Amino acid sequence: MQDKKEITKKKKIILTALAKTIKELRGKQSQFKFCSENDVPIDIISKSERGLKDPQLTTIFKLAEAFSLSPEEFVSKIASKLPENFYLIEK
């Protein structure tokens, strides 16, 4: 069984991948403009881009739509930034 510290470390890796993905997809568009055009609270983008927010599943769907991606494509872009053979749960 994994200890809490290891789980927290792995969660941080995922949040960092999410942050990089959102920044990449948003490009040079300001957070304010992106959020106002896509009805996404700026707090979610701001905290997600700093690796401080673990968005809900519904938010992941909304972000995917805002970036004109399917949820699967969006998650795949995040997953591509994870270390090779990354697993959240040790088996």
Side-chain angles (χ1 to χ4, degrees):
M1 183 169 184
Q2 293 178 327
D3 65 5
K4 200 169 192 173
K5 190 185 274 188
E6 182 65 22
I7 292 169
T8 301
K9 181 179 171 186
K10 287 184 174 189
K11 182 177 178 179
K12 183 66 178 164
I13 293 169
I14 293 171
L15 294 179
T16 299
L18 171 66
K20 288 178 183 177
T21 302
I22 291 173
K23 286 178 192 176
E24 250 178 41
L25 292 170
R26 187 172 56 79
K28 294 184 181 191
Q29 185 177 37
S30 73
Q31 288 181 348
F32 180 79
K33 185 174 181 185
F34 173 80
C35 291
S36 60
E37 288 180 356
N38 294 289
D39 192 30
V40 175
I42 197 161
D43 183 57
I44 288 175
I45 292 298
S46 176
K47 287 183 178 176
S48 293
E49 285 190 2
R50 290 182 284 145
L52 303 174
K53 177 82 175 156
D54 189 356
Q56 295 180 356
L57 182 59
T58 53
T59 303
I60 295 293
F61 272 68
K62 191 172 206 174
L63 289 172
E65 188 175 321
F67 291 123
S68 300
L69 299 170
S70 71
E72 297 86 357
E73 290 170 316
F74 184 55
V75 171
S76 179
K77 287 185 177 291
I78 297 165
S80 73
K81 291 175 179 31
L82 297 174
E84 193 172 323
N85 298 319
F86 178 85
Y87 294 97
L88 193 55
I89 299 171
E90 296 294 325
K91 295 184 178 186

